[in-house]
């Protein structure tokens, strides 16, 4: 019997983010993955500004930025004619309050590699080829059996094992919702000889349905998308027919059914769901991977505090905070999918998502800031960046020139605004900084 604090099932972006957060807090965990090798595709390629801020805090932002690029312009092809039609991403300049304002494209496999490599520097590893077989729980912990026959005893189990989650099914929870398109879609990563990589090519009226080819940054590949039935005899033949260029290889492919579905509970006892195990999205808007990463970022510091003796009631706030977010994001992605809108920016960047109604949010408003809001970055009066002080596992108390103190949770959201002083929060000493925030009226 192997004993640890947390067993994480599934080593995609959600599971890796949770593992990184626990590792830097020195909480023992196991991270298992049923697949024998890492994921190789580009599927969740859009990283939103709020997720970039999380990756900044976790220490991987430089690698993420180096691996990606802003989204290319769309090039619409109509017979012999073509024209540019904007981009899914904004092209805003960084500001003091929003250092990463634009949607950033990184193939999912590359994002996962960066997270795994950083996890290794913190002493953690993904255990590939190990699936969860069964588990039981009581008031004191969870006992799990792995596909290898190994027995694991932990305080908590987290299912980050995707839309077909073994953990969710074992809990008897159901992904409720609907398919938003009756036609299965195909996504693939393909290498195409000679096709212009400056634009995201779209053939809206190709025979059989729309076809897209998006160049993936820092690779020789394009992400191919179409209805599955359109492919017919094969991707290679279809791409050659539409583009006139030869496909040199198909690196990865997958078929999926666009749907919006979610559970009505995020936890049962000592077992939690995160990411696609709890909610599945169509790709429109680039919300799926990002919402999963933010689930993990919300859960990590809470699990750490409780395993160290904090009140179990803190874990109730995970579902209370994250379930309404998932519901709102699902409504957005459904709308974007059905309208085929290319409008993004503030609607999808996840910077305005908040926990204002949470039991962890208290105090007064200060300018545009409310308890429960994401704390914006700021250049303090000593010249330092606020985000540099937030980076790490601690909470931060900002003593403002305006008078009130702002208590910022370990995950970057405002816990309290007021005169109260907090020497510690969630079991760790609070870091104290002082300074004026010139852009206080901005989000």
């Amino acid at each position: 019997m192997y004993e640890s604090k947390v067993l994480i099932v599934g080593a995609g972006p959600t599971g890796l983010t949770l593992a990184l957060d626990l590792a830097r807090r020195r909480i023992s965990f196991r991270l298992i993955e049923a697949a024998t090798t890492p994921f190789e595709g580009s599927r969740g390629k859009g990283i939103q500004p709020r997720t970039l801020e999380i990756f900044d805090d976790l220490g991987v932002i430089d690698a993420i930025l180096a691996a990606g690029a802003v989204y290319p312009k769309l090039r619409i092809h109509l017979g012999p004619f073509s024209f540019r039609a904007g981009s899914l991403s904004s092209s805003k300049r960084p500001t003091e309050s929003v250092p990463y304002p634009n949607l950033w494209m990184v193939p999912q496999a590359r994002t996962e590699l960066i997270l795994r490599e950083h996890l290794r520097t913190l002493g953690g590893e993904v255990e590939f080829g190990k699936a969860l077989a069964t588990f039981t729980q009581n008031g004191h912990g969870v006992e799990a059996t792995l596909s290898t026959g190994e027995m694991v005893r932990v305080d908590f189990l987290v299912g980050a094992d995707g839309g077909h989650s073994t953990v969710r099914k074992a809990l008897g929870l159901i992904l409720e919702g609907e398919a938003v398109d009756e036609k299965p879609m195909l996504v693939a990563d393909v290498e195409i000889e000679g096709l212009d990589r400056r634009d995201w090519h779209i053939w809206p009226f190709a025979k059989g349905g729309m076809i897209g080819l998006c160049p993936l940054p820092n690779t020789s590949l394009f992400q191919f998308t179409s209805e599955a039935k359109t492919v017919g005899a094969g991707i290679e033949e279809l791409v050659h027919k539409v583009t006139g260029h030869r496909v040199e290889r198909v690196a990865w492919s997958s078929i999926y059914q666009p749907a919006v579905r979610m559970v009505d509970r995020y936890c049962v006892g000592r077992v939690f769901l995160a990411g696609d195990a709890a909610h599945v999205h169509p790709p429109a808007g680039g919300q799926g991977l990002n919402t999963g990463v933010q689930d993990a970022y919300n859960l990590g510091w809470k699990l750490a505090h409780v395993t160290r003796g904090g009140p179990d009631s803190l874990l109730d706030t995970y579902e209370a905070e994250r379930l309404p977010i998932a519901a709102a994001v699902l409504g957005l992605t459904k709308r974007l999918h059905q309208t085929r809108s290319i409008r993004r920016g503030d609607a999808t960047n996840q910077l305005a998502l908040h926990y204002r109604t949470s039991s962890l949010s208290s105090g007064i408003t200060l300018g545009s800031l409310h308890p429960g809001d994401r704390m914006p970055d700021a250049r303090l009066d000593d010249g330092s960046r606020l985000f540099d002080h937030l980076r790490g596992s601690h909470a931060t108390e900002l003593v403002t020139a305006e008078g009130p103190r702002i208590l910022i949770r370990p995950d970057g959201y405002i816990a309290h605004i007021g005169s109260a002083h907090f020497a510690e929060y969630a079991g760790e000493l609070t870091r104290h900084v002082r300074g004026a925030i010139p852009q206080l009226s901005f989000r």
Side-chain angles (χ1 to χ4, degrees):
M1 177 73 74
Y2 184 97
E3 295 199 13
S4 189
K5 292 295 184 183
V6 182
L7 175 62
I8 306 168
V9 182
T14 301
L16 286 164
T17 297
L18 180 57
L20 277 171
D21 206 18
L22 295 177
R24 67 176 180 164
R25 299 173 192 279
R26 296 181 174 83
I27 301 298
S28 61
F29 66 89
R30 299 278 297 277
L31 175 56
I32 63 171
E33 170 56 53
T36 57
T37 58
F39 176 69
E40 295 181 348
S42 63
R43 186 163 48 211
K45 65 183 184 299
I47 303 180
Q48 297 291 351
R50 179 57 189 150
T51 306
L52 292 172
E53 293 178 355
I54 293 171
F55 287 161
D56 184 326
D57 180 45
L58 293 175
V60 297
I61 187 62
D62 289 342
I64 290 290
L65 293 178
V70 295
Y71 271 56
K73 299 285 187 180
L74 297 173
R75 180 166 290 279
I76 309 300
H77 296 268
L78 301 172
F81 304 104
S82 70
F83 61 93
R84 275 184 163 176
S87 171
L88 294 185
S89 175
S90 61
S91 55
K92 298 178 181 177
R93 291 181 178 273
T95 66
E96 293 292 352
S97 59
V98 183
Y100 311 109
N102 301 311
L103 179 64
W104 198 246
M105 185 192 295
V106 184
Q108 182 176 326
R110 181 61 178 169
T111 298
E112 292 185 11
L113 175 61
I114 290 168
L115 296 176
R116 281 197 308 273
E117 288 179 342
H118 190 54
L119 181 62
R120 193 171 298 121
T121 68
L122 298 178
E125 286 285 349
V126 178
E127 300 178 46
F128 287 102
K130 293 184 180 180
L132 177 70
T134 61
F135 66 87
T136 60
Q137 63 169 314
N138 55 38
H140 303 288
V142 181
E143 291 189 0
T145 303
L146 307 187
S147 57
T148 58
E150 182 182 3
M151 303 287 288
V152 181
R153 180 184 290 124
V154 292
D155 291 351
F156 300 100
L157 186 152
V158 180
D161 48 343
H164 299 288
S165 172
T166 298
V167 177
R168 185 190 66 245
K169 293 173 182 176
L171 292 174
L173 299 178
I174 299 172
L175 284 173
E176 300 283 1
E178 60 180 330
V180 294
D181 199 322
E182 297 179 356
K183 303 164 184 173
M185 302 294 293
L186 184 142
V187 58
D189 296 344
V190 297
E191 189 170 346
I192 304 172
E193 182 183 36
L195 184 62
D196 188 346
R197 296 185 59 83
R198 291 174 294 181
D199 295 322
W200 183 341
H201 302 276
I202 304 289
W203 288 265
F205 303 117
K207 186 176 180 180
M210 185 176 69
I211 293 170
L213 285 165
C214 178
L216 297 170
N218 299 302
T219 76
S220 60
L221 301 170
F222 289 81
Q223 186 187 71
F224 168 90
T225 53
S226 76
E227 291 181 13
K229 68 178 182 63
T230 303
V231 176
I235 296 173
E236 295 91 340
E237 182 177 329
L238 177 61
V239 170
H240 185 265
K241 181 178 180 180
V242 170
T243 69
H245 295 271
R246 183 171 63 88
V247 173
E248 296 188 330
R249 67 185 176 104
V250 177
W252 166 83
S253 66
S254 177
I255 293 177
Y256 67 94
Q257 181 86 39
V260 288
R261 304 183 192 278
M262 66 178 290
V263 293
D264 61 0
R265 299 180 65 183
Y266 265 40
C267 63
V268 177
R270 291 178 168 267
V271 181
F272 298 83
L273 298 177
D276 286 357
H279 44 79
V280 294
H281 307 250
Q287 302 291 287
L289 178 151
N290 295 274
T291 304
V293 165
Q294 291 169 53
D295 285 345
Y297 193 56
N298 182 287
L299 181 59
W301 67 273
K302 298 173 180 178
L303 280 175
H305 185 38
V306 174
T307 59
R308 289 172 172 159
D312 287 352
S313 59
L314 179 62
L315 293 173
D316 295 337
T317 67
Y318 170 62
E319 177 181 297
E321 291 182 345
R322 293 305 301 169
L323 191 147
I325 295 289
V329 170
L330 281 174
L332 171 65
T333 54
K334 177 181 178 180
R335 190 162 60 252
L336 290 173
H337 178 87
Q338 292 177 333
T339 62
R340 308 297 189 203
S341 171
I342 67 169
R343 293 177 63 86
R344 298 294 186 269
D346 292 345
T348 58
N349 64 23
Q350 302 199 342
L351 295 176
L353 298 178
H354 61 79
Y355 307 132
R356 291 184 182 180
T357 61
S358 171
S359 62
L360 299 181
S361 304
S362 63
I364 64 173
T365 61
L366 182 61
S368 62
L369 298 181
H370 295 247
D373 286 357
R374 158 202 171 262
M375 185 66 196
D377 198 5
R379 184 69 63 180
L380 302 179
D381 51 5
D382 65 357
S384 63
R385 280 181 62 209
L386 178 59
F387 275 18
D388 289 337
H389 296 284
L390 301 187
R391 194 177 296 116
S393 60
H394 58 277
T396 303
E397 186 178 82
L398 172 64
V399 182
T400 68
E402 294 78 11
R405 298 170 182 262
I406 303 176
L407 177 64
I408 306 162
R409 299 171 8 168
D411 58 358
Y413 289 86
I414 298 171
H416 183 81
I417 303 176
S419 59
H421 166 62
F422 293 83
E424 63 88 27
Y425 187 83
E428 290 199 37
L429 293 177
T430 302
R431 178 174 296 178
H432 300 279
V433 295
R434 184 181 298 272
I437 307 179
Q439 69 279 22
L440 190 61
S441 62
F442 297 97
R443 291 291 302 277

